Amino acid sequence: MSYSDFTLDRVRKTFGLTISDKIDIFPSVQEVECPPLLAELLREKVPLALASNTDKSRSEMIITPILIAVRKYLNNQISLFSGIEFTVDSAQGLNGNCDFIISRSPELLILNAPVVTIVEAKKENINAGLGQCVAEMLYQFNMKLHRKGLLK
């Protein structure tokens, strides 16, 4: 079993999660102005990515430039990983490749916690991919390191 085998109902039952439809989950986060270079890149690349209509094109032409801009905004104090194997707990089906992972560590060669995974809607159907998305975003990797004293 891997992340892609999870449905939303299955991940909810397996890990005892509560589903919330709350929309404004970050009300106190200040907006950041989009850097001019990123705005220009997106104006050019978004139509191309949408026209080709593949996960790969959206990933390369939309998501990657945004994540690089976020890293620059944070003075390169985070690391980015794309398409890497992310096994948290194989026995529970928490294994597979993640689209993108951000780590709070600036280390670029080794994935360190804490992490945030970034996933995208599958085949333009967000509901169909929510189980996989939630499974990838489960906090267990961060919590496992916290319990071992490797993350504070």
Side-chain angles (χ1 to χ4, degrees):
M1 189 162 148
S2 69
Y3 297 118
S4 60
D5 295 323
F6 281 99
T7 63
L8 185 58
D9 189 50
R10 184 176 194 168
V11 77
R12 180 181 60 82
K13 289 176 181 173
T14 301
F15 299 105
L17 302 176
T18 301
I19 307 300
S20 172
D21 294 342
K22 187 174 179 181
I23 294 173
D24 193 13
I25 61 173
F26 302 110
S28 63
V29 175
Q30 299 288 324
E31 286 188 27
V32 175
E33 187 174 329
C34 182
L37 179 58
L38 176 60
E40 181 182 336
L41 284 171
L42 292 176
R43 271 192 299 278
E44 182 178 328
K45 292 181 176 202
V46 167
L48 291 170
L50 296 178
S52 65
N53 198 30
T54 66
D55 288 345
K56 186 169 176 29
S57 65
R58 287 187 298 273
S59 172
E60 292 174 349
M61 295 185 214
I62 300 172
I63 298 170
T64 300
I66 292 170
L67 293 178
I68 291 170
V70 168
R71 185 168 189 271
K72 184 175 181 179
Y73 176 78
L74 296 172
N75 298 313
N76 298 324
Q77 292 304 300
I78 63 169
S79 55
L80 304 173
F81 298 87
S82 175
I84 66 168
E85 173 73 23
F86 188 61
T87 298
V88 176
D89 188 334
S90 294
Q92 294 190 59
L94 299 176
N95 59 285
N97 290 344
C98 287
D99 295 334
F100 292 94
I101 299 176
I102 297 175
S103 170
R104 190 171 68 184
S105 167
E107 172 65 54
L108 296 174
L109 300 177
I110 300 170
L111 178 63
N112 295 294
V115 301
V116 173
T117 63
I118 299 173
V119 294
E120 59 187 290
K122 301 300 176 192
K123 298 181 179 151
E124 294 77 40
N125 182 348
I126 190 112
N127 290 336
L130 282 176
Q132 176 181 351
C133 293
V134 172
E136 287 183 26
M137 292 188 294
L138 272 172
Y139 63 90
Q140 293 192 15
F141 178 74
N142 292 336
M143 292 306 295
K144 188 183 289 185
L145 291 176
H146 182 70
R147 284 191 295 273
K148 291 179 179 178
L150 300 172
L151 175 66
K152 300 196 189 299

